[in-house]
Amino acid sequence: MYIVATFSYSSTLEIFLKEIEENGFTKQQILVIPLSEVKGSNSKLPNSPGVGFIDLAAVFGSIFMLLGTIYGLNLRLGPIAWGSFGLIFGILLGVFLVFIIKKMKTKKPHHTSKGEVVVMIHCSKDMLQIIEPILWNHDVLAVGKLNKS
Protein backbone atom coordinates (compact mmCIF):
# COMPACT_ATOMS: atom_id res chain seq x y z
CA MET A 1 0.00 0.00 0.00
CA TYR A 2 1.19 3.51 -0.81
CA ILE A 3 0.25 6.74 0.95
CA VAL A 4 0.77 9.95 -1.00
CA ALA A 5 0.67 13.29 0.83
CA THR A 6 1.38 16.87 -0.18
CA PHE A 7 2.91 19.44 2.15
CA SER A 8 3.85 23.06 1.80
CA TYR A 9 7.59 23.34 2.23
CA SER A 10 8.16 24.19 5.90
CA SER A 11 9.72 22.93 9.09
CA THR A 12 6.63 20.80 9.85
CA LEU A 13 7.58 18.60 6.90
CA GLU A 14 11.00 17.95 8.41
CA ILE A 15 9.41 17.17 11.78
CA PHE A 16 6.95 14.80 10.09
CA LEU A 17 9.73 12.91 8.31
CA LYS A 18 11.70 12.57 11.53
CA GLU A 19 8.64 11.34 13.43
CA ILE A 20 7.72 8.63 10.92
CA GLU A 21 11.32 7.40 10.91
CA GLU A 22 11.10 7.12 14.69
CA ASN A 23 7.90 5.04 14.30
CA GLY A 24 9.61 2.29 12.31
CA PHE A 25 9.64 3.51 8.71
CA THR A 26 12.94 3.22 6.88
CA LYS A 27 14.34 5.71 4.39
CA GLN A 28 13.78 3.12 1.64
CA GLN A 29 10.02 3.28 2.32
CA ILE A 30 9.84 7.09 2.03
CA LEU A 31 10.06 9.05 -1.21
CA VAL A 32 10.13 12.86 -1.03
CA ILE A 33 9.64 14.88 -4.24
CA PRO A 34 9.87 18.69 -4.18
CA LEU A 35 7.70 20.32 -6.84
CA SER A 36 9.07 23.27 -8.77
CA GLU A 37 6.86 26.24 -9.52
CA VAL A 38 5.73 26.89 -13.07
CA LYS A 39 7.56 29.86 -14.50
CA GLY A 40 5.16 32.75 -15.08
CA SER A 41 2.25 30.96 -13.42
CA ASN A 42 0.96 34.20 -11.88
CA SER A 43 0.58 35.92 -15.23
CA LYS A 44 -2.73 36.10 -17.07
CA LEU A 45 -3.40 34.22 -20.26
CA PRO A 46 -2.92 36.34 -23.39
CA ASN A 47 -6.61 36.41 -24.31
CA SER A 48 -8.00 36.68 -20.80
CA PRO A 49 -10.20 39.63 -19.90
CA GLY A 50 -8.56 42.38 -17.92
CA VAL A 51 -7.64 46.03 -17.95
CA GLY A 52 -5.78 46.81 -21.15
CA PHE A 53 -4.54 49.95 -22.84
CA ILE A 54 -7.50 50.07 -25.21
CA ASP A 55 -10.18 49.33 -22.61
CA LEU A 56 -9.40 52.11 -20.16
CA ALA A 57 -8.45 54.56 -22.91
CA ALA A 58 -11.83 54.01 -24.61
CA VAL A 59 -13.75 54.48 -21.36
CA PHE A 60 -11.93 57.68 -20.40
CA GLY A 61 -12.08 58.95 -23.99
CA SER A 62 -15.86 58.47 -24.09
CA ILE A 63 -16.40 60.13 -20.72
CA PHE A 64 -14.28 63.20 -21.50
CA MET A 65 -15.72 63.48 -25.02
CA LEU A 66 -19.22 63.53 -23.54
CA LEU A 67 -18.24 66.15 -20.97
CA GLY A 68 -16.49 68.23 -23.65
CA THR A 69 -19.56 68.12 -25.86
CA ILE A 70 -21.95 69.06 -23.03
CA TYR A 71 -19.90 71.95 -21.70
CA GLY A 72 -18.73 72.95 -25.19
CA LEU A 73 -22.21 74.29 -25.89
CA ASN A 74 -21.39 77.23 -23.64
CA LEU A 75 -17.73 77.68 -24.65
CA ARG A 76 -16.26 79.63 -27.53
CA LEU A 77 -15.05 76.84 -29.89
CA GLY A 78 -18.28 74.87 -29.72
CA PRO A 79 -19.26 71.31 -28.79
CA ILE A 80 -17.46 69.51 -31.66
CA ALA A 81 -14.04 71.00 -30.89
CA TRP A 82 -14.37 70.52 -27.12
CA GLY A 83 -15.68 66.99 -27.63
CA SER A 84 -12.59 66.22 -29.75
CA PHE A 85 -10.30 67.76 -27.14
CA GLY A 86 -12.03 65.69 -24.43
CA LEU A 87 -11.64 62.52 -26.51
CA ILE A 88 -7.90 63.07 -26.99
CA PHE A 89 -7.39 64.00 -23.33
CA GLY A 90 -9.38 60.95 -22.13
CA ILE A 91 -7.45 58.53 -24.35
CA LEU A 92 -4.11 59.92 -23.18
CA LEU A 93 -5.22 59.82 -19.54
CA GLY A 94 -6.41 56.19 -19.89
CA VAL A 95 -3.16 55.05 -21.49
CA PHE A 96 -1.14 56.88 -18.83
CA LEU A 97 -3.12 55.28 -15.97
CA VAL A 98 -2.78 51.77 -17.41
CA PHE A 99 0.94 52.33 -17.86
CA ILE A 100 1.27 53.41 -14.21
CA ILE A 101 -0.83 50.47 -12.97
CA LYS A 102 1.22 47.92 -14.93
CA LYS A 103 4.46 49.49 -13.76
CA MET A 104 3.33 49.22 -10.11
CA LYS A 105 2.34 45.56 -10.55
CA THR A 106 5.76 44.58 -11.92
CA LYS A 107 7.51 45.88 -8.78
CA LYS A 108 5.81 43.27 -6.58
CA PRO A 109 7.61 39.95 -6.10
CA HIS A 110 6.03 37.24 -8.23
CA HIS A 111 6.76 34.16 -6.14
CA THR A 112 5.89 34.36 -2.46
CA SER A 113 5.32 30.68 -1.77
CA LYS A 114 8.17 28.26 -1.26
CA GLY A 115 6.53 25.47 -3.23
CA GLU A 116 5.07 22.14 -2.34
CA VAL A 117 6.48 18.72 -1.58
CA VAL A 118 4.97 15.31 -2.34
CA VAL A 119 5.75 12.50 0.10
CA MET A 120 5.14 8.86 -0.90
CA ILE A 121 5.28 6.21 1.81
CA HIS A 122 5.26 2.46 1.17
CA CYS A 123 3.64 0.63 4.08
CA SER A 124 1.44 -2.27 5.06
CA LYS A 125 -2.22 -1.89 6.06
CA ASP A 126 -1.23 -2.34 9.71
CA MET A 127 1.12 0.65 9.55
CA LEU A 128 -1.66 2.79 8.04
CA GLN A 129 -3.21 3.25 11.49
CA ILE A 130 0.10 4.63 12.76
CA ILE A 131 0.84 6.97 9.85
CA GLU A 132 -2.57 8.63 9.37
CA PRO A 133 -2.74 10.50 12.71
CA ILE A 134 0.86 11.61 12.26
CA LEU A 135 0.01 13.01 8.82
CA TRP A 136 -2.96 15.05 10.02
CA ASN A 137 -0.99 16.44 12.98
CA HIS A 138 1.64 17.97 10.68
CA ASP A 139 -0.37 20.32 8.40
CA VAL A 140 -0.70 18.03 5.40
CA LEU A 141 -2.47 19.62 2.42
CA ALA A 142 -3.89 16.42 0.88
CA VAL A 143 -3.64 12.66 1.40
CA GLY A 144 -4.23 9.81 -1.05
CA LYS A 145 -4.05 6.03 -0.63
CA LEU A 146 -3.16 3.49 -3.30
CA ASN A 147 -3.73 -0.23 -2.75
CA LYS A 148 -1.11 -2.06 -4.76
CA SER A 149 -1.42 -5.81 -4.39
Side-chain angles (χ1 to χ4, degrees), residues 27-65:
K27 289 187 178 184
Q28 287 76 22
Q29 292 176 294
I30 303 167
L31 176 64
V32 179
I33 306 168
L35 300 177
S36 61
E37 294 182 24
V38 177
K39 190 174 185 179
S41 63
N42 293 340
S43 63
K44 292 181 183 178
L45 295 173
N47 295 328
S48 67
V51 177
F53 284 105
I54 308 261
D55 299 337
L56 203 56
V59 169
F60 276 110
S62 299
I63 291 171
F64 282 100
M65 182 178 63

mmCIF file of all heavy atoms in Angstrom, residues 27-65:
data_model
loop_
_atom_site.group_PDB
_atom_site.id
_atom_site.type_symbol
_atom_site.label_atom_id
_atom_site.label_comp_id
_atom_site.label_asym_id
_atom_site.label_seq_id
_atom_site.Cartn_x
_atom_site.Cartn_y
_atom_site.Cartn_z
ATOM 1 N N LYS A 27 14.195 4.721 5.460
ATOM 2 C CA LYS A 27 14.344 5.707 4.391
ATOM 3 C C LYS A 27 14.018 5.103 3.025
ATOM 4 O O LYS A 27 13.673 5.823 2.094
ATOM 5 C CB LYS A 27 15.755 6.284 4.397
ATOM 6 C CG LYS A 27 16.005 7.183 5.580
ATOM 7 C CD LYS A 27 17.345 7.866 5.487
ATOM 8 C CE LYS A 27 17.509 8.788 6.683
ATOM 9 N NZ LYS A 27 18.738 9.558 6.613
ATOM 10 N N GLN A 28 14.112 3.778 2.901
ATOM 11 C CA GLN A 28 13.778 3.124 1.642
ATOM 12 C C GLN A 28 12.266 3.109 1.406
ATOM 13 O O GLN A 28 11.820 2.937 0.276
ATOM 14 C CB GLN A 28 14.322 1.684 1.619
ATOM 15 C CG GLN A 28 15.819 1.590 1.465
ATOM 16 C CD GLN A 28 16.570 1.924 2.748
ATOM 17 O OE1 GLN A 28 16.036 1.844 3.854
ATOM 18 N NE2 GLN A 28 17.833 2.312 2.588
ATOM 19 N N GLN A 29 11.474 3.264 2.451
ATOM 20 C CA GLN A 29 10.020 3.280 2.324
ATOM 21 C C GLN A 29 9.470 4.677 2.051
ATOM 22 O O GLN A 29 8.298 4.826 1.751
ATOM 23 C CB GLN A 29 9.372 2.752 3.607
ATOM 24 C CG GLN A 29 9.597 1.279 3.859
ATOM 25 C CD GLN A 29 9.006 0.877 5.188
ATOM 26 O OE1 GLN A 29 9.465 1.317 6.236
ATOM 27 N NE2 GLN A 29 7.973 0.053 5.133
ATOM 28 N N ILE A 30 10.297 5.704 2.149
ATOM 29 C CA ILE A 30 9.838 7.095 2.033
ATOM 30 C C ILE A 30 10.458 7.720 0.794
ATOM 31 O O ILE A 30 11.669 7.656 0.586
ATOM 32 C CB ILE A 30 10.257 7.908 3.281
ATOM 33 C CG1 ILE A 30 9.712 7.252 4.543
ATOM 34 C CG2 ILE A 30 9.774 9.340 3.153
ATOM 35 C CD1 ILE A 30 10.321 7.796 5.818
ATOM 36 N N LEU A 31 9.610 8.323 -0.026
ATOM 37 C CA LEU A 31 10.063 9.046 -1.211
ATOM 38 C C LEU A 31 9.559 10.481 -1.094
ATOM 39 O O LEU A 31 8.360 10.723 -0.952
ATOM 40 C CB LEU A 31 9.511 8.400 -2.486
ATOM 41 C CG LEU A 31 9.823 9.099 -3.799
ATOM 42 C CD1 LEU A 31 11.320 9.079 -4.061
ATOM 43 C CD2 LEU A 31 9.084 8.446 -4.930
ATOM 44 N N VAL A 32 10.474 11.444 -1.145
ATOM 45 C CA VAL A 32 10.131 12.864 -1.030
ATOM 46 C C VAL A 32 10.463 13.541 -2.345
ATOM 47 O O VAL A 32 11.606 13.466 -2.821
ATOM 48 C CB VAL A 32 10.910 13.529 0.131
ATOM 49 C CG1 VAL A 32 10.563 14.997 0.225
ATOM 50 C CG2 VAL A 32 10.615 12.821 1.436
ATOM 51 N N ILE A 33 9.460 14.216 -2.951
ATOM 52 C CA ILE A 33 9.639 14.876 -4.244
ATOM 53 C C ILE A 33 9.257 16.344 -4.111
ATOM 54 O O ILE A 33 8.078 16.669 -3.947
ATOM 55 C CB ILE A 33 8.753 14.220 -5.331
ATOM 56 C CG1 ILE A 33 9.022 12.724 -5.395
ATOM 57 C CG2 ILE A 33 8.989 14.886 -6.682
ATOM 58 C CD1 ILE A 33 8.011 11.974 -6.217
ATOM 59 N N PRO A 34 10.221 17.267 -4.184
ATOM 60 C CA PRO A 34 9.871 18.693 -4.182
ATOM 61 C C PRO A 34 9.355 19.104 -5.563
ATOM 62 O O PRO A 34 9.922 18.724 -6.578
ATOM 63 C CB PRO A 34 11.190 19.388 -3.848
ATOM 64 C CG PRO A 34 12.249 18.419 -4.215
ATOM 65 C CD PRO A 34 11.658 17.051 -4.128
ATOM 66 N N LEU A 35 8.271 19.848 -5.585
ATOM 67 C CA LEU A 35 7.699 20.316 -6.845
ATOM 68 C C LEU A 35 8.212 21.713 -7.150
ATOM 69 O O LEU A 35 8.229 22.578 -6.282
ATOM 70 C CB LEU A 35 6.169 20.340 -6.757
ATOM 71 C CG LEU A 35 5.487 19.005 -6.469
ATOM 72 C CD1 LEU A 35 3.996 19.210 -6.330
ATOM 73 C CD2 LEU A 35 5.788 18.015 -7.563
ATOM 74 N N SER A 36 8.619 21.929 -8.383
ATOM 75 C CA SER A 36 9.071 23.266 -8.774
ATOM 76 C C SER A 36 7.872 24.060 -9.269
ATOM 77 O O SER A 36 6.907 23.502 -9.793
ATOM 78 C CB SER A 36 10.122 23.186 -9.868
ATOM 79 O OG SER A 36 9.580 22.577 -11.014
ATOM 80 N N GLU A 37 7.947 25.371 -9.094
ATOM 81 C CA GLU A 37 6.858 26.236 -9.516
ATOM 82 C C GLU A 37 6.930 26.459 -11.020
ATOM 83 O O GLU A 37 8.013 26.505 -11.597
ATOM 84 C CB GLU A 37 6.934 27.575 -8.798
ATOM 85 C CG GLU A 37 6.695 27.447 -7.320
ATOM 86 C CD GLU A 37 6.717 28.789 -6.634
ATOM 87 O OE1 GLU A 37 6.471 29.806 -7.295
ATOM 88 O OE2 GLU A 37 6.984 28.818 -5.435
ATOM 89 N N VAL A 38 5.779 26.620 -11.649
ATOM 90 C CA VAL A 38 5.726 26.889 -13.072
ATOM 91 C C VAL A 38 6.146 28.325 -13.307
ATOM 92 O O VAL A 38 5.647 29.246 -12.661
ATOM 93 C CB VAL A 38 4.296 26.645 -13.618
ATOM 94 C CG1 VAL A 38 4.219 26.993 -15.081
ATOM 95 C CG2 VAL A 38 3.894 25.211 -13.378
ATOM 96 N N LYS A 39 7.065 28.517 -14.222
ATOM 97 C CA LYS A 39 7.560 29.861 -14.499
ATOM 98 C C LYS A 39 6.457 30.688 -15.128
ATOM 99 O O LYS A 39 5.826 30.282 -16.091
ATOM 100 C CB LYS A 39 8.752 29.790 -15.441
ATOM 101 C CG LYS A 39 9.483 31.085 -15.603
ATOM 102 C CD LYS A 39 10.727 30.889 -16.426
ATOM 103 C CE LYS A 39 11.524 32.166 -16.474
ATOM 104 N NZ LYS A 39 12.751 31.985 -17.239
ATOM 105 N N GLY A 40 6.196 31.862 -14.544
ATOM 106 C CA GLY A 40 5.163 32.748 -15.077
ATOM 107 C C GLY A 40 3.755 32.288 -14.770
ATOM 108 O O GLY A 40 2.819 32.658 -15.466
ATOM 109 N N SER A 41 3.578 31.489 -13.726
ATOM 110 C CA SER A 41 2.246 30.963 -13.422
ATOM 111 C C SER A 41 1.296 32.035 -12.905
ATOM 112 O O SER A 41 0.094 31.859 -12.943
ATOM 113 C CB SER A 41 2.342 29.836 -12.400
ATOM 114 O OG SER A 41 2.866 30.330 -11.191
ATOM 115 N N ASN A 42 1.817 33.138 -12.399
ATOM 116 C CA ASN A 42 0.964 34.197 -11.882
ATOM 117 C C ASN A 42 0.457 35.132 -12.968
ATOM 118 O O ASN A 42 -0.383 35.976 -12.716
ATOM 119 C CB ASN A 42 1.716 35.022 -10.834
ATOM 120 C CG ASN A 42 1.996 34.208 -9.590
ATOM 121 O OD1 ASN A 42 1.353 33.200 -9.352
ATOM 122 N ND2 ASN A 42 2.967 34.625 -8.816
ATOM 123 N N SER A 43 0.986 35.006 -14.166
ATOM 124 C CA SER A 43 0.578 35.915 -15.227
ATOM 125 C C SER A 43 -0.738 35.463 -15.845
ATOM 126 O O SER A 43 -1.082 34.291 -15.826
ATOM 127 C CB SER A 43 1.655 36.001 -16.303
ATOM 128 O OG SER A 43 1.823 34.742 -16.904
ATOM 129 N N LYS A 44 -1.454 36.411 -16.434
ATOM 130 C CA LYS A 44 -2.732 36.102 -17.066
ATOM 131 C C LYS A 44 -2.491 35.457 -18.419
ATOM 132 O O LYS A 44 -1.445 35.622 -19.027
ATOM 133 C CB LYS A 44 -3.539 37.377 -17.270
ATOM 134 C CG LYS A 44 -4.007 38.013 -15.999
ATOM 135 C CD LYS A 44 -4.823 39.242 -16.329
ATOM 136 C CE LYS A 44 -5.259 39.954 -15.080
ATOM 137 N NZ LYS A 44 -5.992 41.158 -15.367
ATOM 138 N N LEU A 45 -3.476 34.757 -18.904
ATOM 139 C CA LEU A 45 -3.404 34.225 -20.258
ATOM 140 C C LEU A 45 -3.492 35.377 -21.248
ATOM 141 O O LEU A 45 -4.089 36.408 -20.961
ATOM 142 C CB LEU A 45 -4.558 33.238 -20.487
ATOM 143 C CG LEU A 45 -4.532 31.984 -19.636
ATOM 144 C CD1 LEU A 45 -5.811 31.186 -19.848
ATOM 145 C CD2 LEU A 45 -3.327 31.134 -19.964
ATOM 146 N N PRO A 46 -2.927 35.217 -22.453
ATOM 147 C CA PRO A 46 -2.917 36.338 -23.392
ATOM 148 C C PRO A 46 -4.302 36.852 -23.780
ATOM 149 O O PRO A 46 -4.494 38.035 -23.968
ATOM 150 C CB PRO A 46 -2.203 35.763 -24.615
ATOM 151 C CG PRO A 46 -1.452 34.583 -24.129
ATOM 152 C CD PRO A 46 -2.176 34.081 -22.925
ATOM 153 N N ASN A 47 -5.282 35.984 -23.871
ATOM 154 C CA ASN A 47 -6.612 36.409 -24.307
ATOM 155 C C ASN A 47 -7.598 36.546 -23.156
ATOM 156 O O ASN A 47 -8.794 36.589 -23.379
ATOM 157 C CB ASN A 47 -7.165 35.416 -25.334
ATOM 158 C CG ASN A 47 -6.352 35.412 -26.602
ATOM 159 O OD1 ASN A 47 -5.802 36.447 -26.989
ATOM 160 N ND2 ASN A 47 -6.239 34.264 -27.236
ATOM 161 N N SER A 48 -7.091 36.585 -21.931
ATOM 162 C CA SER A 48 -8.001 36.680 -20.796
ATOM 163 C C SER A 48 -8.487 38.113 -20.622
ATOM 164 O O SER A 48 -7.787 39.059 -20.954
ATOM 165 C CB SER A 48 -7.308 36.211 -19.520
ATOM 166 O OG SER A 48 -6.284 37.101 -19.178
ATOM 167 N N PRO A 49 -9.701 38.277 -20.103
ATOM 168 C CA PRO A 49 -10.202 39.635 -19.903
ATOM 169 C C PRO A 49 -9.449 40.323 -18.780
ATOM 170 O O PRO A 49 -9.041 39.701 -17.810
ATOM 171 C CB PRO A 49 -11.662 39.427 -19.529
ATOM 172 C CG PRO A 49 -11.740 38.040 -19.017
ATOM 173 C CD PRO A 49 -10.662 37.274 -19.718
ATOM 174 N N GLY A 50 -9.275 41.613 -18.927
ATOM 175 C CA GLY A 50 -8.563 42.381 -17.917
ATOM 176 C C GLY A 50 -8.484 43.821 -18.364
ATOM 177 O O GLY A 50 -9.048 44.213 -19.379
ATOM 178 N N VAL A 51 -7.780 44.620 -17.604
ATOM 179 C CA VAL A 51 -7.637 46.027 -17.946
ATOM 180 C C VAL A 51 -6.497 46.153 -18.936
ATOM 181 O O VAL A 51 -5.366 45.810 -18.637
ATOM 182 C CB VAL A 51 -7.348 46.865 -16.681
ATOM 183 C CG1 VAL A 51 -7.139 48.311 -17.044
ATOM 184 C CG2 VAL A 51 -8.480 46.713 -15.682
ATOM 185 N N GLY A 52 -6.798 46.622 -20.132
ATOM 186 C CA GLY A 52 -5.782 46.810 -21.151
ATOM 187 C C GLY A 52 -5.681 48.274 -21.530
ATOM 188 O O GLY A 52 -6.444 49.124 -21.064
ATOM 189 N N PHE A 53 -4.721 48.573 -22.397
ATOM 190 C CA PHE A 53 -4.536 49.954 -22.841
ATOM 191 C C PHE A 53 -5.780 50.465 -23.560
ATOM 192 O O PHE A 53 -6.236 51.564 -23.330
ATOM 193 C CB PHE A 53 -3.332 50.051 -23.792
ATOM 194 C CG PHE A 53 -2.026 49.979 -23.093
ATOM 195 C CD1 PHE A 53 -1.261 48.827 -23.140
ATOM 196 C CD2 PHE A 53 -1.553 51.055 -22.379
ATOM 197 C CE1 PHE A 53 -0.051 48.766 -22.491
ATOM 198 C CE2 PHE A 53 -0.332 51.002 -21.728
ATOM 199 C CZ PHE A 53 0.410 49.847 -21.789
ATOM 200 N N ILE A 54 -6.362 49.637 -24.409
ATOM 201 C CA ILE A 54 -7.498 50.071 -25.214
ATOM 202 C C ILE A 54 -8.755 50.223 -24.365
ATOM 203 O O ILE A 54 -9.524 51.155 -24.563
ATOM 204 C CB ILE A 54 -7.759 49.044 -26.346
ATOM 205 C CG1 ILE A 54 -6.475 48.787 -27.096
ATOM 206 C CG2 ILE A 54 -8.915 49.442 -27.210
ATOM 207 C CD1 ILE A 54 -6.271 49.488 -28.361
ATOM 208 N N ASP A 55 -8.966 49.310 -23.423
ATOM 209 C CA ASP A 55 -10.183 49.334 -22.612
ATOM 210 C C ASP A 55 -10.319 50.636 -21.821
ATOM 211 O O ASP A 55 -11.318 51.352 -21.942
ATOM 212 C CB ASP A 55 -10.210 48.164 -21.630
ATOM 213 C CG ASP A 55 -10.194 46.813 -22.318
ATOM 214 O OD1 ASP A 55 -10.589 46.770 -23.502
ATOM 215 O OD2 ASP A 55 -9.790 45.835 -21.682
ATOM 216 N N LEU A 56 -9.324 50.918 -21.017
ATOM 217 C CA LEU A 56 -9.396 52.106 -20.159
ATOM 218 C C LEU A 56 -9.321 53.391 -20.983
ATOM 219 O O LEU A 56 -9.990 54.373 -20.660
ATOM 220 C CB LEU A 56 -8.275 52.067 -19.117
ATOM 221 C CG LEU A 56 -8.504 52.877 -17.857
ATOM 222 C CD1 LEU A 56 -9.797 52.449 -17.173
ATOM 223 C CD2 LEU A 56 -7.342 52.722 -16.911
ATOM 224 N N ALA A 57 -8.544 53.380 -22.049
ATOM 225 C CA ALA A 57 -8.455 54.559 -22.911
ATOM 226 C C ALA A 57 -9.800 54.847 -23.571
ATOM 227 O O ALA A 57 -10.216 56.008 -23.675
ATOM 228 C CB ALA A 57 -7.372 54.360 -23.969
ATOM 229 N N ALA A 58 -10.517 53.811 -23.987
ATOM 230 C CA ALA A 58 -11.829 54.008 -24.609
ATOM 231 C C ALA A 58 -12.846 54.537 -23.603
ATOM 232 O O ALA A 58 -13.653 55.419 -23.927
ATOM 233 C CB ALA A 58 -12.321 52.696 -25.213
ATOM 234 N N VAL A 59 -12.806 54.026 -22.393
ATOM 235 C CA VAL A 59 -13.745 54.482 -21.362
ATOM 236 C C VAL A 59 -13.500 55.954 -21.029
ATOM 237 O O VAL A 59 -14.428 56.776 -21.026
ATOM 238 C CB VAL A 59 -13.631 53.601 -20.095
ATOM 239 C CG1 VAL A 59 -14.384 54.218 -18.932
ATOM 240 C CG2 VAL A 59 -14.151 52.206 -20.372
ATOM 241 N N PHE A 60 -12.233 56.289 -20.741
ATOM 242 C CA PHE A 60 -11.929 57.681 -20.402
ATOM 243 C C PHE A 60 -12.155 58.611 -21.596
ATOM 244 O O PHE A 60 -12.613 59.738 -21.427
ATOM 245 C CB PHE A 60 -10.490 57.820 -19.888
ATOM 246 C CG PHE A 60 -10.348 57.517 -18.432
ATOM 247 C CD1 PHE A 60 -9.700 56.376 -18.003
ATOM 248 C CD2 PHE A 60 -10.863 58.378 -17.485
ATOM 249 C CE1 PHE A 60 -9.573 56.095 -16.665
ATOM 250 C CE2 PHE A 60 -10.741 58.112 -16.140
ATOM 251 C CZ PHE A 60 -10.096 56.965 -15.731
ATOM 252 N N GLY A 61 -11.836 58.139 -22.796
ATOM 253 C CA GLY A 61 -12.081 58.950 -23.992
ATOM 254 C C GLY A 61 -13.555 59.252 -24.166
ATOM 255 O O GLY A 61 -13.941 60.391 -24.471
ATOM 256 N N SER A 62 -14.411 58.261 -23.968
ATOM 257 C CA SER A 62 -15.862 58.468 -24.093
ATOM 258 C C SER A 62 -16.391 59.438 -23.046
ATOM 259 O O SER A 62 -17.204 60.313 -23.344
ATOM 260 C CB SER A 62 -16.592 57.131 -23.959
ATOM 261 O OG SER A 62 -16.196 56.242 -24.970
ATOM 262 N N ILE A 63 -15.919 59.261 -21.809
ATOM 263 C CA ILE A 63 -16.397 60.133 -20.724
ATOM 264 C C ILE A 63 -16.004 61.585 -20.974
ATOM 265 O O ILE A 63 -16.840 62.501 -20.898
ATOM 266 C CB ILE A 63 -15.857 59.643 -19.364
ATOM 267 C CG1 ILE A 63 -16.516 58.321 -18.986
ATOM 268 C CG2 ILE A 63 -16.089 60.685 -18.278
ATOM 269 C CD1 ILE A 63 -15.907 57.640 -17.788
ATOM 270 N N PHE A 64 -14.732 61.820 -21.305
ATOM 271 C CA PHE A 64 -14.280 63.198 -21.504
ATOM 272 C C PHE A 64 -14.831 63.808 -22.799
ATOM 273 O O PHE A 64 -15.045 65.009 -22.879
ATOM 274 C CB PHE A 64 -12.753 63.273 -21.452
ATOM 275 C CG PHE A 64 -12.218 63.237 -20.054
ATOM 276 C CD1 PHE A 64 -11.710 62.070 -19.508
ATOM 277 C CD2 PHE A 64 -12.248 64.372 -19.263
ATOM 278 C CE1 PHE A 64 -11.234 62.030 -18.214
ATOM 279 C CE2 PHE A 64 -11.767 64.354 -17.960
ATOM 280 C CZ PHE A 64 -11.267 63.180 -17.432
ATOM 281 N N MET A 65 -15.095 62.972 -23.808
ATOM 282 C CA MET A 65 -15.724 63.479 -25.020
ATOM 283 C C MET A 65 -17.152 63.936 -24.717
ATOM 284 O O MET A 65 -17.590 65.002 -25.171
ATOM 285 C CB MET A 65 -15.754 62.405 -26.112
ATOM 286 C CG MET A 65 -16.369 62.897 -27.424
ATOM 287 S SD MET A 65 -16.356 61.674 -28.724
ATOM 288 C CE MET A 65 -17.381 60.407 -28.038
#
